[in-house]
């Protein structure tokens, strides 16, 4: 690069950087099935970010982990609205680079395709608490929001651990699309031929309730106490501290989704 730039160090750096970006582009078509999910926070919000690579070997590399830490810091500072916006912004530790150019440098250093796949902002709600739980070294990260108090983060984290284990699809039954419910009801009816209508309706309602208990966080049996649902557990914990607590939202991210 120095020969190509006639000894101009700044131009040589520019040439190397362009070659690094070109190398990153060539690697950009490779599949990135491994990765890590990071957590970042500032005064107003929490953030989840997924970064993917080709192999678990690279994910365990200290340079990759440092890159994840840097990206989390940048996200907490700038609160980007999208991955595209984030990649185009300047890297605070070296404003000569954009975040995407910094990513390209890491691709060149580690020799694998590395992509920032998704970013999610979870705003800190007034009179609410957020619990975050990272599982399997960032392979699964869950977030649970509880409304009714700003001091029950430990409870929210407990429920986030449940989310990691039980993988709910919905918060409450009313969040399920009607076509999904109709399909479940159709399956149930096909299994109940020659039953009187009043008996059939009762059995179908029972099957739908069992379906809700399987896919809805509020209706699932709590992993730490299967005699109670998650929704009821939160209500009971609220009564102990004189608060009306309820589930507000949850996120469950897993590498490869």
């Amino acid at each position: 690069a120095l020969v190509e730039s006639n000894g101009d160090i700044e131009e040589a750096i520019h040439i190397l950087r362009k070659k690094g970006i070109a190398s990153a582009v060539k690697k950009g078509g490779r599949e990135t099935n491994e990765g890590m999910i990071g957590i970042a926070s500032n005064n107003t919000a929490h953030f989840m970010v997924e970064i993917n690579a080709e192999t678990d070997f690279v994910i365990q590399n200290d340079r990759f982990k440092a890159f994840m830490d840097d990206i989390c810091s940048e996200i907490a500072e700038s609160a980007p609205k999208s991955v595209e916006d984030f990649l185009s912004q300047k890297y605070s530790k070296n404003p000569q680079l954009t975040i995407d150019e910094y990513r390209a440098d890491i691709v060149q250093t580690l020799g694998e395709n590395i992509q920032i796949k998704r970013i999610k902002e979870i705003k800190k709600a007034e009179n609410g608490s957020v619990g975050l739980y990272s599982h399997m070294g960032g392979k699964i990260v869950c977030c649970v929001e509880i409304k009714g108090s700003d001091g029950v983060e430990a409870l929210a984290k407990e429920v986030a651990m449940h989310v990691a284990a039980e993988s709910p699809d919905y918060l409450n039954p009313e969040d399920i699309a009607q076509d999904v419910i109709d399909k479940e009801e159709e399956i149930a009816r096909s299994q109940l031929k020659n039953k009187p209508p009043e008996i059939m309706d009762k059995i179908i309602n029972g099957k739908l309730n069992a379906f809700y208990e399987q896919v809805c966080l509020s209706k699932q049996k709590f992993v730490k106490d299967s005699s109670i649902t998650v929704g009821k557990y939160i209500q009971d914990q609220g009564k102990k501290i004189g608060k009306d607590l309820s589930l507000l939202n949850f996120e469950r991210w897993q590498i490869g989704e």
Side-chain angles (χ1 to χ4, degrees):
L2 282 167
V3 170
E4 189 176 336
S5 65
N6 296 317
D8 186 324
I9 291 177
E10 292 299 322
E11 179 61 21
I13 291 171
H14 182 63
I15 289 167
L16 288 172
R17 183 161 294 136
K18 285 197 298 183
K19 289 181 178 180
I21 292 171
S23 174
V25 169
K26 287 180 182 178
K27 292 180 173 69
R30 297 182 186 174
E31 290 189 3
T32 52
N33 297 321
E34 296 294 336
M36 184 183 295
I37 300 163
I39 298 168
S41 300
N42 59 29
N43 291 333
T44 61
H46 300 285
F47 300 86
M48 296 164 65
V49 55
E50 179 177 346
I51 302 178
N52 296 136
E54 296 175 46
T55 65
D56 192 61
F57 178 78
V58 160
I59 302 305
Q60 303 306 321
N61 184 283
D62 288 342
R63 191 68 188 86
F64 181 91
K65 292 177 180 178
F67 176 65
M68 170 62 86
D69 289 343
D70 287 341
I71 293 303
C72 286
S73 296
E74 295 291 320
I75 288 172
E77 180 67 29
S78 63
K81 299 302 180 186
S82 68
V83 173
E84 291 75 18
D85 288 348
F86 180 59
L87 291 173
S88 65
Q89 75 183 38
K90 294 297 184 181
Y91 176 42
S92 66
K93 290 184 178 179
N94 184 355
Q96 292 183 330
L97 299 179
T98 64
I99 295 294
D100 198 37
E101 288 170 339
Y102 174 41
R103 180 196 64 82
D105 281 354
I106 298 300
V107 170
Q108 187 179 30
T109 299
L110 296 179
E112 284 195 7
N113 184 18
I114 293 168
Q115 297 291 332
I116 300 172
K117 182 179 180 181
R118 51 180 171 165
I119 299 170
K120 174 76 175 183
E121 180 180 15
I122 302 105
K123 290 190 177 296
K124 296 179 181 178
E126 188 176 349
N127 197 34
S129 297
V130 174
L132 295 157
Y133 174 65
S134 179
H135 185 57
M136 295 175 62
K139 298 288 187 182
I140 297 172
V141 170
C142 301
C143 169
V144 167
E145 298 176 76
I146 292 176
K147 65 179 179 180
S149 174
D150 58 3
V152 292
E153 288 81 7
L155 174 61
K157 185 175 181 179
E158 266 192 294
V159 179
M161 292 171 70
H162 169 98
V163 171
E166 296 301 310
S167 305
D169 296 312
Y170 308 96
L171 186 64
N172 298 303
E174 52 266 32
D175 300 318
I176 304 175
Q178 188 59 48
D179 63 324
V180 175
I181 295 174
D182 291 344
K183 185 172 289 185
E184 288 297 318
E185 185 173 340
E186 180 185 342
I187 292 169
R189 287 189 183 279
S190 70
Q191 298 169 343
L192 299 171
K193 295 177 181 178
N194 303 320
K195 296 282 187 183
E198 63 275 12
I199 295 178
M200 182 178 285
D201 288 342
K202 187 175 181 179
I203 295 174
I204 287 172
N205 284 335
K207 286 183 175 292
L208 285 176
N209 284 330
F211 172 65
Y212 299 150
E213 290 173 5
Q214 180 182 354
V215 301
C216 297
L217 175 57
S218 64
K219 299 293 185 182
Q220 287 181 334
K221 302 297 184 185
F222 187 43
V223 289
K224 289 189 173 182
D225 182 357
S226 60
S227 69
I228 195 170
T229 66
V230 172
K232 186 68 166 57
Y233 178 72
I234 290 172
Q235 288 177 357
D236 290 350
Q237 294 302 306
K239 289 176 182 177
K240 290 179 180 180
I241 59 172
K243 300 285 186 178
D244 183 16
L245 302 181
S246 61
L247 286 164
L248 179 62
N249 198 11
F250 78 94
E251 293 281 344
R252 186 186 190 277
W253 282 16
Q254 183 166 342
I255 294 299
E257 289 179 333

